[in-house]
């Protein structure tokens, strides 16, 4: 049990074990290279060159399939040999060497437009040229360096394909386990929210927010791997459907728990905006036995997520599953206040989603102990599976940008200009180690697209470098000239660098700088002045990157975030209009793919707003506005996902009926989204956001106390209402004029 719990925690903290595999694969490649070179009695400079080359050859390759990885690795070796040769030939020709370095940097960045292979080959070419400068490569020493590079690439191949192999199917399987683990963690956080007192609720709500965001992150990762990791399109679509169902059901359960704690229905924004006020009504209202039952059911739901029902009759877990699925029937709900009964319904829907997820991921389940409610849930799932369309969607065409408008061309020009400035400034600081400034300038441009992103990345690299210098001083003094002890510590630091890279760029820079301090020690060039120079060159390179980004074909953070915001709004409009049209009786279309496109666009916007929301930003009001807008968009995305998921069930569930009256509400929402997008794209736009009768008016009953619609239709209308309200709410922070309601 402890082992299973540990595995679940590891899977949840590192979805797909991507960070662990990257660290082990890189360390394995370096260790194999050092072992072979050690047996060949290579000297320390060659050991250092081999270690860095093996690291580069391993982390540069990003293709998902093994065959393309092997091709890129094979092509990378001649690129590395050519780069090393030119580095040695031009080492004594300062001007020619500097000019070639700038051209190489331009080509390496421009190569990104050719996909993962172009990016990898450009990275290998640049980094190996850097290695030639670092170890002082000469023409006479090229034969030995060729051998070192050959050993490094063989070591990288062995680590990638033998020691730490990775297949798309295996990675997808680990991501599925991570999704289940994170779903269980979210249920645990919701259980803590249920039990939290007035003083504890803020921390409990924070855990629920983080758990919801982490579950959503894993769902997006699964979406990106489905095509390569599944045997056919139908299987991929089935997994996509069940992951979406589980994600929506879990988020809805959290909202129902919040509503049950407060005197009124909880605002969805509470789950998406850090710092949003939590309900202060104390513990959940209701009879003690009902609250205790909710607590037991949440525990049972968590167990259902983590453990399959045993394939034998009469098991306690199958009985628990039957009880939870029974909550989908009104007659099985325990006596409790209406808000608490909604929680029981939410638990039942979450249990159904878990059952569907289990069937999709693990295959058919034992049905010998099914209750009537469980059997009905299975029939619904089977009906949904039967109508899954495995046909390929027509790919949308996008406008092809040309010339300097193309992002790769613009970035290549910016990096080339910034590197030229860094070379000149670096030469003034040190004629021997000027390349550190160029390396920093290059790195701050990687995976960035605006001046603000480059500024934040440069700041983080400088901070990590300063801290790493201090650590390098300590480590270098402790290791002295013990070569293999130093290399062992380098391996530890390299693993830490790759394991922490997706989490913190500052930490990654810290570990890289500490490792370099040890390499300097091995090359007998260690001194305090060298490490101080490293900080100076890093600061210079970061400054050159920011200057180039700000002055050469600049992309302001505001412009980039506005472009991405327009994209998010367009995706939101597409999903909402298609879902509402289908729920109004229109023709069925593919909705889940559109919903995931919305999620991806929103993730891109969230990343682009980091410079605006960074703690060091002096513009506090702007930071709060950016956070609020992103939270509103996440709220819109949740309701749009829910509508899309419900619309896809329309043909298989008799409880979900098309309602033509929704079409008018959907038209108003679409028009408002278009008005906001037009205003973001052009402030001179005269479009206005329209308001009108509340969607809740469709829920009015002719006879007080009697429901006019079934619970599913009621839920659809409430999602439409909340989406309408949230879209109108976007107008205020984005300064879009709101027209007076039409009478």
């Amino acid at each position: 049990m402890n082992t299973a719990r540990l595995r679940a925690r590891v899977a949840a903290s590192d979805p797909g074990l991507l960070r662990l595999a990257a660290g082990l694969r890189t360390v394995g490649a370096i260790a194999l290279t050092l072992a072979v070179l050690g047996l060949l009695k290579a000297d320390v400079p060659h050991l250092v060159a081999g270690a860095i080359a093996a690291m580069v050859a391993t982390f540069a390759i990003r293709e998902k399939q093994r065959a393309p990885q092997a091709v890129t690795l094979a092509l990378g070796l001649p690129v590395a040999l050519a780069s090393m040769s030119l580095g040695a030939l031009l080492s004594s020709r300062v001007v020619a060497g500097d000019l070639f370095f700038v051209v190489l940097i331009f080509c390496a960045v421009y190569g990104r437009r050719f996909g993962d292979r172009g990016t990898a080959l450009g990275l290998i070419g640049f980094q190996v040229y850097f290695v030639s400068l670092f170890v002082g490569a000469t023409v006479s020493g090229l034969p030995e360096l060729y051998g070192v590079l050959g050993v490094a690439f063989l070591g990288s191949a062995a680590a990638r394909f033998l020691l730490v192999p990775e297949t798309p199917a295996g990675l997808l399987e680990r991501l599925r386990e991570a999704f289940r683990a994170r779903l269980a963690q979210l249920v645990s956080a919701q259980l803590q929210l249920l039990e939290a007192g007035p003083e504890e609720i803020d921390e409990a709500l924070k855990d629920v927010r983080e758990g919801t965001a982490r579950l959503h992150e894993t769902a997006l990762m699964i979406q990106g791997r489905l095509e390569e990791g599944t045997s056919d399109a139908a299987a991929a679509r089935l997994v996509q459907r069940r992951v979406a169902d589980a994600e929506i059901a879990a988020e809805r359960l959290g909202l129902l728990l919040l509503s049950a704690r407060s005197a009124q229905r909880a605002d969805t924004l509470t789950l998406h905006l850090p710092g949003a006020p939590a309900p202060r009504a104390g513990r959940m209202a209701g009879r003690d036995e009902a609250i205790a039952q909710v607590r037991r059911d949440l525990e049972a739901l968590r167990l259902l997520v983590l453990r399959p029902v045993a394939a034998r009759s009469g098991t306690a877990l199958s009985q628990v599953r039957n009880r939870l699925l029974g909550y989908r029937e009104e007659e099985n709900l325990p006596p409790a206040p209406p808000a608490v009964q909604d929680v029981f319904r939410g638990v039942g829907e979450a249990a159904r989603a878990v059952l569907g997820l289990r069937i999709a991921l693990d295959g058919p389940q034992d049905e010998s102990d099914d209750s009537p409610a469980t059997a009905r849930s299975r029939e619904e799932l089977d009906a949904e599976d039967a109508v899954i369309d495995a046909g390929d969607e027509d790919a949308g065409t996008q406008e092809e940008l040309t010339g300097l408008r193309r992002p790769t061309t613009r970035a290549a020009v910016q990096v080339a200009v910034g590197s030229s400035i860094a070379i000149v400034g670096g030469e003034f600081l040190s004629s021997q180690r000027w390349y550190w400034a160029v390396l920093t300038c290059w790195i701050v441009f990687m995976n960035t697209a605006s001046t603000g992103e480059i500024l934040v990345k440069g700041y983080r690299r400088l901070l990590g470098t300063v801290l790493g210098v201090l650590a390098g001083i300590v480590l270098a003094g402790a290791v002295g000239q013990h070569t293999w002890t130093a290399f062992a510590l380098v391996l530890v630091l390299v693993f830490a660098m790759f394991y922490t890279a997706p989490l913190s760029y500052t930490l990654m820079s810290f570990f890289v700088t500490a490792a370099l301090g040890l390499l300097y020690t091995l090359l007998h060039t260690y001194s305090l002045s060298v490490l101080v120079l490293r900080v100076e060159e890093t600061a210079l390179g970061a400054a050159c990157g920011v200057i180039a980004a700000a002055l050469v074909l600049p992309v302001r953070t505001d412009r980039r975030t506005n472009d991405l915001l327009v994209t998010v709004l367009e995706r939101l409009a597409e999903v909402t209009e298609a879902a509402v049209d289908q729920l109004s009786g229109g023709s069925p279309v593919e909705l889940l793919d559109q919903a995931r496109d919305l999620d991806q666009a929103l993730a891109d916007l969230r990343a682009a707003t980091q410079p605006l929301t960074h703690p060091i930003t002096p513009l506090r009001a702007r930071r709060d506005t950016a956070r609020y807008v992103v939270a509103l968009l996440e709220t819109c995305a949740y309701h749009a996902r829910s509508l899309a998921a419900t619309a896809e069930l329309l043909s298989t569930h008799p409880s979900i009926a098309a309602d033509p009256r929704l079409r008018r509400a959907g038209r108003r929402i679409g028009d408002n989204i278009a008005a906001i997008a037009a205003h973001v794209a052009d402030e001179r736009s005269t479009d206005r956001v329209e308001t009108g009768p509340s969607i809740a008016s469709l829920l009015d009953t002719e006879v007080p106390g009697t429901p006019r619609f079934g619970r599913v239709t009621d839920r659809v209308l409430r999602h439409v209402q909340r989406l309408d309200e949230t879209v109108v709410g976007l107008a205020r922070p984005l300064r879009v004029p709101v027209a007076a309601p039409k009478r």
Side-chain angles (χ1 to χ4, degrees):
M1 183 64 181
N2 290 335
T3 303
R5 185 173 300 175
L6 178 61
R7 286 182 57 189
R9 287 183 177 178
V10 172
S13 65
D14 182 12
L17 303 181
L18 290 172
R19 304 199 317 270
L20 179 64
L24 291 177
R25 191 177 298 118
T26 307
V27 167
I30 297 173
L32 285 175
T33 301
L34 292 176
V36 173
L37 293 178
L39 292 174
L40 296 175
K41 308 297 184 183
D43 57 16
V44 170
H46 288 136
L47 291 174
V48 172
I52 299 177
M55 180 178 70
V56 172
T58 304
F59 79 74
I61 297 176
R62 299 295 177 86
E63 284 103 339
K64 297 174 182 177
Q65 300 285 355
R66 292 165 65 89
Q69 290 174 1
V71 172
T72 302
L73 191 61
L75 293 175
L77 180 56
V79 170
L81 295 174
S83 188
M84 181 67 75
S85 301
L86 289 169
L89 288 170
L90 298 175
S91 60
S92 59
R93 297 172 175 82
V94 177
V95 176
D98 291 349
L99 290 175
F100 172 76
F101 204 8
V102 172
V103 172
L104 175 62
I105 290 169
F106 177 88
C107 294
V109 176
Y110 187 77
R112 297 180 191 176
R113 69 168 299 206
F114 301 107
D116 289 336
R117 180 163 297 160
T119 301
L121 295 180
L123 188 58
I124 289 172
F126 172 83
Q127 293 285 3
V128 172
Y129 192 88
F130 168 81
V131 170
S132 72
L133 299 174
F134 186 70
V135 300
T138 61
V139 175
S140 61
L142 280 177
E144 291 84 359
L145 288 171
Y146 290 161
V148 168
L149 290 177
V151 171
F153 274 75
L154 287 174
S156 177
R160 177 174 296 277
F161 301 118
L162 297 177
L163 292 183
V164 192
E166 181 179 278
T167 62
L171 177 57
L172 182 59
E173 178 62 29
R174 295 197 299 271
L175 285 173
R176 293 169 177 174
E177 290 301 317
F179 183 84
R180 279 198 281 227
R182 285 192 164 181
L183 178 56
Q185 286 186 345
L186 177 55
V187 175
S188 296
Q190 291 171 346
L191 180 60
Q192 295 301 317
L193 179 64
L194 169 69
E195 299 178 337
E199 300 80 13
E200 305 162 334
I201 189 171
D202 284 327
E203 189 63 29
L205 183 56
K206 177 183 176 183
D207 291 341
V208 171
R209 288 190 188 113
E210 291 178 353
T212 303
R214 284 156 63 88
L215 185 69
H216 184 61
E217 174 194 27
T218 312
L220 282 177
M221 294 173 72
I222 291 175
Q223 174 69 17
R225 301 281 179 169
L226 277 175
E227 184 177 348
E228 295 85 6
T230 48
S231 56
D232 56 71
R237 291 178 60 77
L238 177 60
V239 173
Q240 180 187 22
R241 170 81 65 84
R242 297 306 170 219
V243 165
D245 288 346
E247 183 186 0
I248 293 168
E251 189 165 1
R252 181 170 177 268
L253 180 57
L255 287 170
L256 293 174
L257 284 167
L258 279 175
S259 296
R261 291 190 59 106
S262 58
Q264 57 186 358
R265 186 174 294 271
D267 190 342
T268 318
L269 184 64
T270 307
L271 280 185
H272 297 133
L273 180 62
R280 296 293 176 186
R283 298 184 183 275
M284 185 181 294
R287 295 191 303 176
D288 291 342
E289 55 267 29
I291 305 305
Q293 185 63 49
V294 171
R295 185 180 301 109
R296 287 194 298 270
D297 288 341
L298 288 175
E299 287 281 6
L301 180 62
R302 189 181 68 84
L303 286 177
L304 283 180
V305 172
L306 293 175
R307 296 171 56 189
V309 175
R312 62 178 185 272
S313 61
T315 62
L317 201 56
S318 65
Q319 295 172 10
V320 167
R321 177 199 62 195
N322 292 341
R323 187 183 78 246
L324 298 188
L325 289 171
Y327 292 151
R328 302 184 67 226
E329 309 289 344
E330 293 295 313
E331 62 269 17
N332 295 329
L333 294 175
V340 179
Q341 284 196 327
D342 280 343
V343 173
F344 284 116
R345 295 186 184 98
V347 170
E349 292 300 324
R352 178 195 183 275
V354 170
L355 176 63
L357 188 67
R358 181 70 67 179
I359 294 173
L361 300 185
D362 300 337
Q365 307 290 296
D366 176 56
E367 303 179 19
S368 58
D369 262 350
D370 280 2
S371 66
T374 302
R376 281 191 292 272
S377 294
R378 288 191 193 276
E379 291 171 1
E380 292 174 359
L381 293 170
D382 291 340
E384 293 169 21
D385 297 346
V387 298
I388 288 182
D389 180 11
D392 293 332
E393 296 290 322
D394 293 333
T397 57
Q398 295 182 349
E399 180 183 358
E400 177 68 21
L401 299 180
T402 58
L404 294 178
R405 294 177 61 201
R406 184 182 290 120
T408 49
T409 305
R410 182 178 60 246
V413 172
Q414 289 177 323
V415 177
V417 173
S419 298
S420 300
I421 301 173
I423 288 173
V424 175
E427 291 278 7
F428 279 108
L429 287 177
S430 171
S431 60
Q432 293 181 326
R433 296 184 177 85
W434 52 270
Y435 45 80
W436 287 119
V438 181
L439 179 67
T440 300
C441 182
W442 153 282
I443 287 177
V444 297
F445 272 95
M446 293 181 65
N447 300 319
T448 55
S450 70
T451 306
E453 291 177 74
I454 292 169
L455 178 61
V456 170
K457 192 170 184 179
Y459 150 76
R460 288 172 174 167
R461 183 165 183 85
L462 180 59
L463 177 60
T465 299
V466 171
L467 298 175
V469 163
L470 299 176
I473 293 173
V474 175
L475 291 175
V479 171
Q481 295 299 318
H482 299 286
T483 301
W484 294 109
T485 302
F487 273 121
L489 282 175
V490 167
L491 291 178
V492 173
L493 293 171
V494 167
F495 175 82
M497 176 182 70
F498 281 92
Y499 194 78
T500 59
L503 303 177
S504 170
Y505 188 71
T506 300
L507 274 179
M508 189 200 78
S509 301
F510 166 79
F511 288 121
V512 126
T513 304
L516 287 172
L518 291 173
L519 295 180
Y520 277 136
T521 302
L522 294 174
L523 292 173
H524 305 289
T525 55
Y526 166 78
S527 68
L528 181 59
S529 61
V530 167
L531 294 179
V532 171
L533 178 64
R534 168 94 168 102
V535 174
E536 295 173 345
E537 296 279 5
T538 298
L540 174 64
C544 291
V546 172
I547 291 172
L551 300 180
V552 181
L553 305 175
V555 177
R556 293 171 55 97
T557 303
D558 287 346
R559 173 185 158 191
R560 173 162 169 76
T561 53
N562 283 347
D563 290 344
L564 292 174
L565 176 56
V566 170
T567 301
V568 171
L569 292 170
E570 290 173 349
R571 299 289 182 271
L572 177 63
E574 291 171 1
V575 176
T576 303
E577 291 173 0
V580 172
D581 181 70
Q582 191 164 324
L583 288 166
S584 303
S587 302
V589 296
E590 176 50 51
L591 291 171
L592 286 183
D593 286 341
Q594 292 184 3
R596 285 310 178 197
D597 289 341
L598 167 62
D599 290 336
Q600 188 57 60
L602 186 53
D604 294 339
L605 175 64
R606 193 184 302 111
T609 58
Q610 286 185 1
L612 303 178
T613 59
H614 196 276
I616 67 171
T617 180
L619 306 175
R620 304 298 182 185
R622 189 182 180 196
R623 180 192 64 186
D624 294 340
T625 299
R627 286 177 175 172
Y628 184 61
V629 168
V630 170
L632 285 173
L633 289 170
E634 288 176 341
T635 299
C636 290
Y638 162 69
H639 293 297
R641 280 198 306 272
S642 299
L643 289 173
T646 306
E648 290 221 335
L649 303 178
L650 193 62
S651 61
T652 60
H653 285 252
S655 61
I656 306 175
D659 190 335
R661 287 171 296 180
L662 289 174
R663 185 171 280 113
R664 185 180 65 175
R667 189 179 303 116
R668 187 173 80 188
I669 294 173
D671 290 344
N672 285 342
I673 294 174
I676 295 173
H679 190 82
V680 172
D682 184 1
E683 292 184 355
R684 295 169 296 180
S685 171
T686 58
D687 292 354
R688 291 173 176 266
V689 168
E690 301 285 345
T691 60
S694 171
I695 309 300
S697 62
L698 294 177
L699 301 176
D700 292 341
T701 58
E702 297 177 358
V703 180
T706 60
R708 185 175 181 181
F709 303 104
R711 297 206 61 81
V712 177
T713 306
D714 176 273
R715 188 190 311 166
V716 167
L717 291 171
R718 290 193 184 280
H719 280 305
V720 175
Q721 175 187 341
R722 290 303 176 91
L723 182 57
D724 179 56
E725 293 169 350
T726 309
V727 168
V728 173
L730 272 170
R732 183 177 62 82
L734 296 176
R735 300 179 181 176
V736 181
V738 179
K742 296 179 180 178
R743 297 185 180 275

